[in-house]
Amino acid sequence: MDFIQLLGYLAAFLMFSTFYMKNMIPLRIVGIASNITFIAYTFNAQVWPIFVLHTALLPMNCLRLAQMLKLIKQVRLASEGDMSFEFMIPHMTKENFQEGDVVFRKGDRAEKIYLLQSGHLRVDEWDAAIKPGELFGEMGVFASDQLRSATLRCKTDVELLSMTDKQIRQLYYQNPDFGFYLIQLLLKRFSQNEVHGLNAAAEPACAASDGGNGSPRR
């Protein structure tokens, strides 16, 4: 067995290995190694169709690897900083709603998370506002029953960016760090919801202490 044949077997082994890898970054690295080995083998063996194929696949794998590494860096910066969602924007889809429209109702199936780009939204049950730059809807997506717990209404014309639960899973599988970021986000949302719940419970008590006139004390 000569060197060229050994090169061919090595290229085949590397390609075979990629089918057993679950993490995207090691998969891309081994894929790049496989492309380079196949290019060397097919050039020496003069197998031109396979040579052209892997010459085309090599820059594609390099580009995807660079994108993954950039995403990991952005997720780490976001998780260490002020919960910025900018790294998610390239993976989201634009949606537009008019004033008075309902984005989703309580009890609807939760299949998307949203980022408010412009306009104002209000949660009916809590009388709470959502302002531009805020992420919402993730609680329903990750709930066991995957149902919306509140109704969200447009106070003005709004522009949203959405991401489906399938896209979220893909991001997680491609970058496990994204999962830790989501845990941080959910813990933050739990804290916010607890505050809203305590405020909502306090309002009737305040009204009763004012003689039942319906006006909470200031």
Side-chain angles (χ1 to χ4, degrees):
M1 184 180 296
D2 58 20
F3 175 74
I4 295 177
Q5 286 181 314
L6 286 173
L7 204 59
Y9 281 114
L10 175 61
F13 172 77
L14 290 172
M15 179 61 70
F16 181 79
S17 299
T18 62
F19 289 93
Y20 281 89
M21 294 184 172
K22 295 181 179 180
N23 293 331
M24 290 300 296
I25 289 181
L27 187 152
R28 292 294 181 187
I29 292 173
V30 174
I32 289 170
S34 173
N35 294 148
I36 293 172
T37 311
F38 262 115
I39 288 171
Y41 165 69
T42 53
F43 178 80
N44 285 281
Q46 297 186 346
V47 184
W48 302 120
I50 307 300
F51 174 83
V52 171
L53 172 64
H54 285 275
T55 302
L57 288 175
L58 177 59
M60 185 180 301
N61 273 324
C62 291
L63 174 62
R64 296 304 184 202
L65 176 61
Q67 290 174 335
M68 287 295 105
L69 293 174
K70 182 179 179 181
L71 178 61
I72 288 174
K73 182 179 179 180
Q74 290 174 328
V75 170
R76 285 176 177 168
L77 289 174
S79 63
E80 294 170 359
D82 59 353
M83 302 295 284
S84 171
F85 310 112
E86 291 184 2
F87 74 93
M88 297 174 63
I89 292 177
H91 305 277
M92 304 182 87
T93 303
K94 184 181 293 186
E95 296 187 25
N96 292 290
F97 293 84
Q98 296 181 345
E99 181 180 355
D101 287 350
V102 173
V103 180
F104 53 74
R105 297 183 184 277
K106 183 176 181 179
D108 287 350
R109 183 162 181 80
E111 297 179 337
K112 295 180 182 179
I113 62 172
Y114 297 92
L115 178 65
L116 180 57
Q117 285 283 86
S118 63
H120 289 83
L121 298 164
R122 184 162 292 277
V123 182
D124 286 356
E125 286 76 6
W126 300 326
D127 194 30
I130 295 177
K131 299 177 181 179
E134 292 189 37
L135 189 76
F136 62 92
E138 76 289 341
M139 294 293 291
V141 170
F142 293 104
S144 58
D145 55 6
Q146 208 169 350
L147 297 177
R148 298 296 184 192
S149 60
T151 298
L152 194 65
R153 196 177 306 273
C154 300
K155 300 297 290 184
T156 64
D157 292 349
V158 302
E159 181 180 300
L160 303 176
L161 294 176
S162 65
M163 179 186 291
T164 66
D165 53 348
K166 292 181 181 179
Q167 289 174 303
I168 294 170
R169 290 190 186 97
Q170 287 175 354
L171 277 180
Y172 172 75
Y173 289 133
Q174 292 173 2
N175 178 17
D177 286 343
F178 182 65
F180 291 101
Y181 178 80
L182 289 177
I183 291 173
Q184 286 185 312
L185 176 62
L186 289 170
L187 289 173
K188 179 182 178 182
R189 192 69 70 196
F190 272 123
S191 298
Q192 291 175 341
N193 289 350
E194 186 176 1
V195 171
H196 286 309
L198 290 173
N199 290 340
E203 287 179 2
C206 290
S209 67
D210 280 343
N213 59 9
S215 301
R217 286 189 294 181
R218 298 181 180 273

